[in-house]
Amino acid sequence: MLEEIEFVKPEDIEARSMELIEKELDGRTWPEPEALVIKRCIHTSADFDYADQLYFSPGAVSRALKLLKDGAHIITDTKMAAAGINKKRLAALGGQVHCFMDDPEVAREAKERGITRSAVCMERGSQIPGTPIFAIGNAPTALIRLYELLREGKVHPGLIIGVPVGFVNVVESKELIIRTDAACIVARGRKGGSNIAAAICNALIYQCK
């Protein structure tokens, strides 16, 4: 069995993976900024469904790249997503990652109001100065609260990455975001996750020179 395993140097593994992804995509193409996001999601998950399920609002990636180059901050709904984002590269652009899930005041407020901590986190994130990027990989309630804040004119995101995974209100919350005027990247359907949210963030960050 060992003789069937291809030896690849550690520093070449990612490049080799991307070559295999290109091969399996069998000539399918997208505009380059979007293509790199799609490939990064496939690379992270080994799931080629993202080639069909990722929705990009017009100009979303170009807008996100400009914002990141100008030092935009990223707000996530989970520590896992926050951990997966390349904070060193983001900091070099002037940005930071924010996740409020561990804040005891968030937990207290969520319990008192009978809502999820993720929803409260979006309210906290709306207070970050500038034009932040929201990366949601777990909680549809975060997307629903963002939708409400948008309608109330209380949040002005530069980009919403909507990729929560699961069953309850997941599909519906994503479609809510698509129907707004906000720039967004959304994984339609049930698939997604904190790792996908981080992968999309990194695909954008890596394109900022």
Side-chain angles (χ1 to χ4, degrees):
M1 294 294 293
L2 280 176
E3 62 271 14
E4 298 175 8
I5 295 175
E6 177 186 7
F7 175 76
V8 182
K9 295 179 181 179
E11 62 271 21
D12 295 335
I13 290 175
E14 181 172 320
R16 178 63 177 137
S17 296
M18 290 299 183
E19 289 175 5
L20 293 170
I21 289 169
E22 288 270 6
K23 183 177 179 180
E24 290 203 38
L25 286 172
D26 195 26
R28 294 183 66 183
T29 60
W30 298 266
E32 193 59 30
E34 288 83 359
L36 293 175
V37 173
I38 292 167
K39 291 172 189 175
R40 180 65 57 180
C41 289
I42 294 171
H43 178 260
T44 296
S45 62
D47 189 341
F48 281 82
D49 284 352
Y50 287 105
D52 298 304
Q53 292 179 336
L54 280 181
Y55 167 84
F56 299 86
S57 66
V61 174
S62 297
R63 175 176 170 78
L65 296 181
K66 183 181 186 304
L67 289 169
L68 287 167
K69 291 174 184 178
D70 289 340
H73 291 217
I74 297 176
I75 298 150
T76 76
D77 65 330
T78 65
K79 290 177 63 180
M80 183 180 293
I85 296 170
N86 191 322
K87 287 173 281 295
K88 184 176 180 180
R89 291 281 290 270
L90 181 62
L93 298 169
Q96 296 179 16
V97 177
H98 302 269
C99 182
F100 303 100
M101 286 297 288
D102 280 351
D103 187 331
E105 285 300 306
V106 167
R108 179 193 60 77
E109 184 177 345
K111 185 175 182 180
E112 287 181 356
R113 294 167 59 189
I115 61 176
T116 67
R117 286 186 295 163
S118 297
V120 178
C121 286
M122 296 302 100
E123 296 173 356
R124 296 290 179 91
S126 69
Q127 298 169 19
I128 296 292
T131 312
I133 292 170
F134 288 82
I136 312 305
N138 183 68
T141 54
L143 284 186
I144 293 167
R145 187 62 185 129
L146 274 178
Y147 174 79
E148 293 171 341
L149 291 168
L150 280 165
R151 293 189 66 184
E152 295 164 7
K154 294 179 179 178
V155 66
H156 304 283
L159 175 73
I160 298 175
I161 297 169
V163 293
V165 60
F167 299 92
V168 179
N169 291 328
V170 168
V171 174
E172 295 83 355
S173 67
K174 293 173 178 179
E175 294 301 319
L176 279 178
I177 297 301
I178 289 173
R179 290 201 291 268
T180 70
D181 292 331
C184 65
I185 300 173
V186 173
R188 282 184 139 145
R190 294 173 172 175
K191 293 184 179 182
S194 296
N195 60 330
I196 297 299
I200 293 172
C201 289
N202 288 334
L204 297 171
I205 291 168
Y206 296 158
Q207 294 186 65
C208 296
K209 305 297 183 182

